[in-house]
Amino acid sequence: ILLLTSEFPPSFGGGIGMYVEKVARMLSENHQVTVLVRDEENRVEQWNNQLRIVRFKHCQGKIYQQLGYWTALAYQYHEEVLKLIEQDGVSPDIIEVQDYNALGYYLLQYKYLGHEVLRQIPIVLHLHTPTFELDRINQYSRYKFPNYWIGQMEKFCIRAADAVLSPSQFLA
């Protein structure tokens, strides 16, 4: 199982990191689990026999000169996933990714383009609270850039995922 997240202990920004830590520990009781998370440096940590944390240095590559941070980060996650699969020599049975800021956008785009590695891997989206909903709740301008386009990307991810998990009926 491959879990993609924008935050993971010891770094926290909100509830996503807490969710991923709890789910990763729970799933690793019966499955091999890898958590892929952005960080200030590249490193791999083995938390137990079945739980590996792969941290990659974000803000790397020319893509950050061409796209906004979150969009470029989503592209970097796509690249990091492919690199990890190549290094491991095996594809994950499933990839779970957060909805927030559309981290799975390029993975899903490439999957639907028929990318050889990604087309057979189910991609599950975990709802946390997407940017487009936060902007509505916080009464921010919903058509202001870049959040408008990030919201469109989040909406695509929700529709394109093979399955969607929601922590509550309210959010669903």
Side-chain angles (χ1 to χ4, degrees):
I1 298 171
L2 179 57
L3 301 173
L4 310 183
T5 181
S6 61
E7 56 191 58
F8 193 79
S11 300
F12 282 98
I16 294 172
M18 180 184 295
Y19 164 83
V20 174
E21 179 188 9
K22 301 296 182 196
V23 167
R25 287 181 186 276
M26 177 187 67
L27 291 173
S28 73
E29 292 176 8
N30 296 303
H31 304 281
Q32 291 287 333
V33 177
T34 298
V35 174
L36 184 63
V37 61
R38 67 181 169 155
D39 205 309
E40 297 301 316
E41 61 182 87
N42 295 317
R43 69 179 190 272
V44 177
E45 304 165 6
Q46 196 71 40
W47 280 27
N48 64 40
N49 289 339
Q50 299 199 116
L51 178 55
R52 172 179 66 161
I53 314 304
V54 177
R55 299 178 187 273
F56 67 91
K57 188 172 183 175
H58 60 120
C59 297
Q60 301 298 296
K62 290 182 181 179
I63 197 75
Y64 284 91
Q65 297 168 8
Q66 299 163 344
L67 299 173
Y69 175 75
W70 286 105
T71 308
L73 183 64
Y75 193 83
Q76 189 179 3
Y77 266 90
H78 157 258
E79 290 178 325
E80 294 292 333
V81 166
L82 294 178
K83 186 167 65 174
L84 189 61
I85 290 170
E86 185 178 327
Q87 287 172 354
D88 288 350
V90 62
S91 295
D93 293 329
I94 192 167
I95 297 173
E96 181 181 326
V97 62
Q98 69 189 44
D99 63 341
Y100 181 68
N101 284 321
L103 285 189
Y105 183 77
Y106 290 102
L107 278 174
L108 288 161
Q109 287 282 355
Y110 275 76
K111 177 180 175 148
Y112 281 97
L113 287 171
H115 189 280
E116 187 176 320
V117 173
L118 297 173
R119 70 175 174 223
Q120 299 300 323
I121 303 172
I123 299 177
V124 175
L125 188 86
H126 173 253
L127 295 177
H128 183 69
T129 306
T131 301
F132 70 86
E133 270 303 296
L134 287 173
D135 285 353
R136 185 184 65 77
I137 292 165
N138 292 327
Q139 298 180 2
Y140 292 155
S141 174
R142 292 192 284 174
Y143 296 102
K144 186 175 180 183
F145 295 107
N147 284 16
Y148 172 77
W149 283 114
I150 291 170
Q152 294 303 306
M153 292 167 61
E154 290 169 334
K155 290 173 185 178
F156 167 79
C157 291
I158 291 167
R159 290 183 188 109
D162 293 299
V164 177
L165 304 174
S166 179
S168 70
Q169 188 61 38
F170 175 77
L171 185 56

